[in-house]
Amino acid sequence: KQRVLSGIQPTSASFHLGNYLGALQYWVTLQDDYDALYFIPDMHAITVSQDPKELRKRTRIAAAQLLALGIDPARSTLFVQSQVPEHAELAWVLSCITGFGEASRMTQFKDKSVKQGADNTTVGLFTYPVLMAADILLYRPHQVPVGEDQRQHLELTRNLAQRFNTRFKKTFVVPEPHIVKGTAKIYDLQDPTAKMSKSASSDAGLINLLDDPKVSAKKVRSAVTDTEREIRYDVENKPGISNLLVILSALTETPVVTLEKDYAGRGYGDLKADVADALVGFATPLRAKVEEYMADQGELDRILGIGAERAREIAGNTLAQVYDRVGFLAR
Ligand code: ATP
Ligand code: MG
């Protein structure tokens, strides 16, 4: 089996519908065909200031949600980044073969540092892509599912892998981006031309998986649409309706064209009611499962402990090779 690796940050109290339909849903299906590693990058999270208690809680909630969504710790390796010290150790070595100019060209850092101002910008945020390269290269995955915003970072990862391989000896697999076909992109319910996002969406435009389903249903019923009456998929002219169709399609596993036929001659209220129902039907049992995992912290931590141990077997191996090749004494 080929190996895939992916991570999601523990920086919110709940994942949102975009995270699920655009990424996590596919993580679940990838488990069938790949040797999958999934991790919660808490070390990346602290590149911006985090409340310690909150971070710990969010890390556990992130894990609980992944388990509740169907990540199976018996088939996949689910772990928390900071519990695998090899990530930090490899990041240091990689930072020593990364050009300062090369790192300075990362556009995400430029964007974020401009937004936050120099005083709130940390060296950690600057070296974030190097840590990300370490996250990936430790496990020698063939493919890494990445969104558009991480493409440049993956390119750096590939360059660092090739550079290390050439300068020392072939050590790393140069990973390919894994583009999952047909991943849904979900838009803000109040501004359906903008991506649904935890940091940019207004509360009314954002559907959190762990919110009270009644609240989410209400947000769907208040979603911005248009002044026509026809239910059809047309992103240009009808972004709100198109977004609702995509959401319903994904939640009910019904093609959008089938939905268009089903809703011919019916009103927007019907569509919204059905999206709301589908969402409540999905979120209600999910919430219950997450609560169950959160109620037994010992068990949750045990699952993560096993994941970290499995991850360390692979990561430790790679790191030992790296240390040897750069000329460190054996431990
Ligand atoms: P931020 O606003 O902090 O960037 P976010 O809401 O964009 O947060 P991320 O943590 O950046 O969420 O993304 C986690 C995963 O969810 C990524 O794989 C990303 O591509 C996916 N994702 C995020 N938002 C959406 C969306 N609206 N539609 C589809 N996929 C999404
Ligand atoms: Mg994002």
Side-chain angles (χ1 to χ4, degrees):
K1 272 190 188 178
Q2 293 215 322
R3 191 174 280 160
V4 287
L5 172 89
S6 213
I8 184 153
Q9 288 213 32
T11 44
S12 57
S14 168
F15 295 142
H16 60 71
L17 195 61
N19 296 146
Y20 174 62
L21 297 179
L24 305 178
Q25 193 182 35
Y26 296 92
W27 288 21
V28 176
T29 60
L30 285 174
Q31 298 180 107
D32 300 333
D33 302 320
Y34 291 87
D35 171 19
L37 291 131
Y38 297 123
F39 73 105
I40 300 165
D42 54 345
M43 292 166 69
H44 282 280
I46 64 164
T47 54
V48 293
S49 151
Q50 300 288 339
D51 175 70
K53 241 178 93 187
E54 207 51 34
L55 178 62
R56 205 173 344 265
K57 188 166 157 208
R58 289 176 170 187
T59 300
R60 290 202 178 97
I61 288 187
Q65 287 176 94
L66 293 176
L67 293 165
L69 288 169
I71 299 301
D72 175 3
R75 286 192 294 156
S76 302
T77 304
L78 173 66
F79 66 98
V80 174
Q81 185 185 29
S82 62
Q83 295 188 326
V84 181
E86 285 81 3
H87 288 247
E89 299 180 62
L90 180 60
W92 176 255
V93 175
L94 293 178
S95 75
C96 297
I97 63 164
T98 307
F100 186 77
E102 187 177 32
S104 308
R105 283 192 291 276
M106 296 294 120
T107 56
Q108 191 177 74
F109 173 76
K110 285 198 261 183
D111 295 346
K112 287 195 179 175
S113 58
V114 166
K115 252 187 241 158
Q116 291 170 201
D119 287 345
N120 295 313
T121 299
T122 64
V123 173
L125 193 66
F126 182 67
T127 54
Y128 181 118
V130 179
L131 179 58
M132 179 173 153
D135 296 339
I136 296 170
L137 296 179
L138 276 175
Y139 301 97
R140 308 193 232 241
H142 304 88
Q143 298 189 31
V144 188
V146 281
E148 203 44 55
D149 54 343
Q150 294 302 321
R151 257 177 183 286
Q152 197 190 22
H153 292 167
L154 187 67
E155 205 42 52
L156 176 72
T157 302
R158 290 167 52 84
N159 290 338
L160 292 176
Q162 271 152 354
R163 190 172 307 155
F164 190 96
N165 287 349
T166 323
R167 194 170 302 179
F168 301 96
K169 189 175 166 199
K170 175 135 184 30
T171 306
F172 296 122
V173 170
V174 181
E176 298 290 333
H178 178 90
I179 311 293
V180 194
K181 277 185 233 86
T183 38
K185 185 165 178 193
I186 306 302
Y187 293 87
D188 187 320
L189 294 182
Q190 287 301 312
D191 175 7
T193 56
K195 183 185 93 98
M196 184 180 285
S197 128
K198 66 172 178 281
S199 53
S201 292
S202 68
D203 184 58
L206 180 70
I207 302 283
N208 281 314
L209 301 182
L210 299 182
D211 280 352
D212 181 347
K214 284 203 279 298
V215 172
S216 299
K218 207 169 151 200
K219 288 183 189 175
V220 168
R221 286 194 299 269
S222 316
V224 166
T225 52
D226 55 66
T227 54
E228 288 182 18
R229 316 179 64 116
E230 197 193 350
I231 296 178
R232 101 187 112 82
Y233 183 80
D234 177 349
V235 179
E236 279 284 288
N237 301 301
K238 301 170 77 65
I241 290 296
S242 302
N243 192 33
L244 292 174
L245 284 170
V246 168
I247 293 171
L248 188 59
S249 163
L251 288 176
T252 61
E253 292 176 43
T254 312
V256 168
V257 283
T258 309
L259 293 176
E260 284 179 322
K261 281 186 203 127
D262 292 350
Y263 286 94
R266 296 168 65 192
Y268 289 180
D270 283 2
L271 175 63
K272 286 180 170 180
D274 291 348
V275 173
D277 280 352
L279 196 58
V280 172
F282 166 75
T284 307
L286 180 76
R287 253 163 60 110
K289 274 191 225 161
V290 170
E291 263 166 42
E292 243 173 75
Y293 281 113
M294 290 303 283
D296 192 349
Q297 201 174 288
E299 173 63 7
L300 186 62
D301 289 356
R302 193 187 66 83
I303 292 172
L304 292 173
I306 292 172
E309 224 171 275
R310 284 227 300 263
R312 288 201 71 184
E313 267 176 43
I314 307 169
N317 231 316
T318 309
L319 188 77
Q321 271 188 17
V322 168
Y323 273 20
D324 180 57
R325 283 164 193 183
V326 301
F328 292 168
L329 300 182
R331 280 191 195 176

